Amino acid sequence: MTMNWLEVTVVVDAEAAEAVAEVLARYAPNSVALEQRAREIASGPEWSADGPLEPIVYVRAYLPIDAESESKRKQIDEALWHLRHIAPLPDPTFREIQPSDWEHAWKEHYHVLRVGSRFVIKPSWREHAAQAGDLIIELDPGMAFGTGLHPTTQMCLRALETHLPPGAQVLDLGAGSGILAIAAARLGAASVLALDIDPVAVEAARENVQRNRVADIVRVETGSLNVVRAESQSIDVAVVNILAKVIIQLCDEGLTETVVPGGRFIFAGLIESQESEVYEAVTRAGLTVSDRMQDKDWVGLVCQRESSFTRSPGQPDRRGSGR
């Protein structure tokens, strides 16, 4: 007996796309797709790599129609209702599709995406005619995070292009799909330690690292600041694309001391209203802000560790309590 499938679609802007995809992935693991269309459609599978993209993203999930599908549909509606308290979202649309169509339906919505001047993010099944200087990151975006669409991910990719010296030792904290760790390897990092506290993210990152043939450079582990301290590894550049409140907490716990004097941090994941709090936390921890990036409401900060820094009296020192 063949089974029909329910396609769930939510149309959002790029900022909200991965948050919506993460919600849908709870009910349709490995069956979530994000489509961002080109303003000027060109022929060929890599049309979105070259032209400007529409600001909206189509987030789609595919659920088998069975005894649980109606319950899952209600759960999706409820989860998106909660998400609307953070960002305005339209109602999802639902469409039944035939079993002969569903297997390849979600893959049709992924196209090649160019970010910055050199990075090309390519779904594993798409072809791309590489141009001179292209740094290709091949991802299987069946998982819902780290697809490259979110403004904070794109800011980190551009910052790595500018601030990562060849041969650097890199830390990617909050690695997600591993996209930033792979990017650092493509730019010539000597080694990359990619960490995430979510075991699903760790598995996805490891698969993408293998797919991009950078496993000799990138190592993916479960954990956070505790792993960095245990290894006593010298870090030249750290990329921290996580929530602002977590950035502040980690700075107070001694995160900045994991990078060598003169080393750099690339912080992202904060919105403009949180910038002052993060700025205070990084300066309090001995960093100097050297560059600032902004995409709509999202802000990124590039910081450098001072060559000599003494923690002031009364300043938190919780180096024995890593995350």
Side-chain angles (χ1 to χ4, degrees), residues 86 112 133 233 263:
I86 302 173
V112 180
Q233 181 179 345

Side-chain angles (χ1 to χ4, degrees), residues 97-261:
I97 59 177
Q98 300 298 314
S100 58
D101 299 329
W102 93 268
E103 184 175 354
H104 300 290
W106 65 274
K107 288 187 176 182
E108 294 175 2
H109 305 308
Y110 276 106
H111 298 274
V112 180
L113 174 67
R114 184 177 293 278
V115 179
S117 61
R118 302 180 66 188
F119 287 117
V120 176
I121 304 167
K122 186 184 85 66
S124 57
W125 59 90
R126 291 289 188 187
E127 297 295 328
H128 171 66
Q131 302 175 14
D134 278 356
L135 299 177
I136 296 175
I137 301 174
E138 189 170 287
L139 294 180
D140 185 347
M143 301 308 296
F145 39 78
T147 60
L149 285 175
H150 198 277
T152 62
T153 305
Q154 296 187 10
M155 281 191 286
C156 287
L157 289 169
R158 295 187 182 100
L160 283 170
E161 279 189 325
T162 304
H163 297 286
L164 182 67
Q169 312 285 325
V170 178
L171 170 65
D172 179 10
L173 193 56
S177 67
I179 182 173
L180 298 178
I182 296 166
R186 288 278 185 264
L187 287 167
S191 70
V192 184
L193 175 59
L195 300 174
D196 204 293
I197 60 174
D198 182 351
V200 176
V202 170
E203 183 61 28
R206 284 175 176 163
E207 291 176 2
N208 284 320
V209 165
Q210 291 287 344
R211 180 176 289 108
N212 284 271
R213 299 180 178 87
V214 292
D216 58 329
I217 299 172
V218 180
R219 181 164 59 91
V220 185
E221 300 290 347
T222 303
S224 184
L225 189 53
N226 56 321
V227 176
V228 187
R229 290 196 182 113
E231 302 219 347
S232 301
Q233 181 179 345
S234 296
I235 303 296
D236 300 303
V237 177
V239 187
V240 187
N241 186 19
I242 51 181
L243 297 175
K245 64 179 182 180
V246 182
I247 293 174
I248 294 169
Q249 178 183 346
L250 290 174
C251 285
D252 287 343
E253 291 178 350
L255 171 65
T256 57
E257 296 166 20
T258 64
V259 166
V260 298

